[in-house]
Structure formats: C-alpha cells, structure tokens
Amino acid sequence: MEIAVKNMVCDRCVSVVTGIMRSLGYPEAVVTMGRVTLDRDLSGEELDRIDRCLVAEGFQLLRDRGASLVEKVKAAVLRLARSRDDDRKVKLSVYLSDKLGVDYRTLGRLFAEHENRTIERYYIAQKIEYVKELLDYGEMTVSEIACMTGYSSVAHLSRQFREETGMTPTAYRETGKRIPLDKV
C-alpha cells in the first residue's frame, strides 16, 4: 500500500516521517519524499492513527488522489528549482509531464484548484526561496546566483525577486528573512 504525505519538503522530513512510522510499529515502511510504502493494506483506524501523529509533526496524510498528485507536483517543482543541471533547460510543463506521466493541462488545473495559484507561480516562489538561501550564505554574488539558478540575467532575477518579496536581492541580503519551504 502506498500513502501520500503532505508537507514533506526535505530529507529531514523523510527522517521524521520514518521515525513516526517506526514508533507506530511499521518498521517495514519505506519513506520517500511525499510517500510511504507499506507491504500491506492498512485499516481506516490505522490510517487515522498515522494521520494524527503526522499532523502533530506538521505533516498530513493525503487520501484524495488529486491532493496526492498536487504534492507530487510540489516535490518535482522543488527538485527542479534547486537543481544545478540540465533539467532547467527543459520547459517546466515538459519536465512535470515527463516526471509524473500526466498531461500538463491536467496538472495545472488540479494544482490551481488545490493551491489557488498556478504551477508557474509556485515554481517562481520556490526559486526565489532558493535564491534567498544562497544570499544568506553570503558566498556568491547576485550575478553568480542568477547564473546558478537559471536566470537569464541579474535584471531578470532582481525583477522576479522584487515582485515576490518587495525588495531587491541586495536589500534582502541586508535585512531579509526566509520562509520555511512548506509555507511557500
């Protein structure tokens, strides 16, 4: 049985959910980003108990297929936004359709219904959070960050950054605060 879990955004989340599953008596559970795979079906009571423990840690069990697909989109977008390879050269729509095996129009409609924003806006928000992280490290110039994160120019990065945050990357570096990834 495979169950979907909302708000898993990093390896630490996978570790926490793995711990929850072990503590509930499911040592065979295989936990990956947004997914828990078990070797047997679970009863409604068991799922409710797992959900209560997940919610206590900031996660949520997804029982709706559409919500589950939206979480898969989010995980794929997060990976793409933080990738440093050739994935960025592929259009977002092609990347998601290939990764998830679902038509992009379907993904876009479902995503907008569940999240009240487009996949593209979510992707931009994730990229900007990554830019904030890189700015916080203070090891790279804005120009280097623009290049590394796939922006065509510093001006393009600065324009999107200002639209999302209300400030320039340089102003953020001096005063800004990041948002937890599950709140983006």
Side-chain angles (χ1 to χ4, degrees):
M1 171 178 211
E2 187 172 277
I3 53 179
V5 180
K6 185 175 182 175
N7 293 335
M8 290 179 68
V9 297
C10 64
D11 290 338
R12 193 170 301 124
C13 295
V14 171
S15 182
V16 170
V17 172
T18 299
I20 290 169
M21 296 306 292
R22 301 282 184 272
S23 72
L24 291 173
Y26 303 101
E28 78 285 357
V30 176
V31 181
T32 57
M33 190 79 73
R35 300 252 156 254
V36 176
T37 305
L38 297 151
D39 57 5
R40 67 179 178 88
D41 287 340
L42 301 178
S43 69
E45 270 182 32
E46 288 175 302
L47 290 171
D48 289 342
R49 187 169 62 119
I50 291 169
D51 191 34
R52 282 192 300 277
C53 291
L54 290 171
V55 167
E57 295 296 329
F59 304 105
Q60 182 182 355
L61 192 66
L62 294 173
R63 298 177 191 211
D64 172 330
R65 183 189 181 289
S68 177
L69 193 53
V70 166
E71 288 305 308
K72 287 181 183 179
V73 169
K74 285 181 170 183
V77 166
L78 183 62
R79 279 191 302 275
L80 180 62
R82 291 173 170 267
S83 71
R84 295 182 182 183
D85 54 20
D86 291 336
D87 280 342
R88 278 216 191 90
K89 293 177 184 171
V90 176
K91 286 180 66 175
L92 178 62
S93 58
V94 173
Y95 175 82
L96 290 174
S97 292
D98 287 351
K99 288 286 183 195
L100 303 176
V102 178
D103 177 67
Y104 186 74
R105 262 187 263 137
T106 302
L107 294 174
R109 182 184 44 76
L110 231 98
F111 193 90
E113 285 173 10
H114 282 82
E115 295 294 315
N116 295 319
R117 63 179 159 176
T118 65
I119 293 173
E120 291 81 7
R121 292 302 321 161
Y122 181 74
Y123 178 57
I124 290 168
Q126 288 296 339
K127 281 180 68 172
I128 295 301
E129 283 308 309
Y130 186 41
V131 168
K132 287 180 185 179
E133 182 180 329
L134 296 171
L135 288 168
D136 285 346
Y137 294 154
E139 298 172 349
M140 301 170 78
T141 67
V142 175
S143 179
E144 291 169 327
I145 291 171
C147 182
M148 183 179 149
T149 55
Y151 283 95
S152 58
S153 66
V154 172
H156 184 209
L157 166 61
S158 295
R159 190 171 39 259
Q160 273 195 350
F161 196 93
R162 194 174 313 113
E163 286 173 7
E164 286 291 313
T165 67
M167 63 180 77
T168 66
T170 305
Y172 171 82
R173 185 172 257 163
E174 297 168 4
T175 61
K177 299 229 189 274
R178 290 182 47 218
I179 300 169
L181 288 179
D182 62 333
K183 304 290 187 229
V184 173

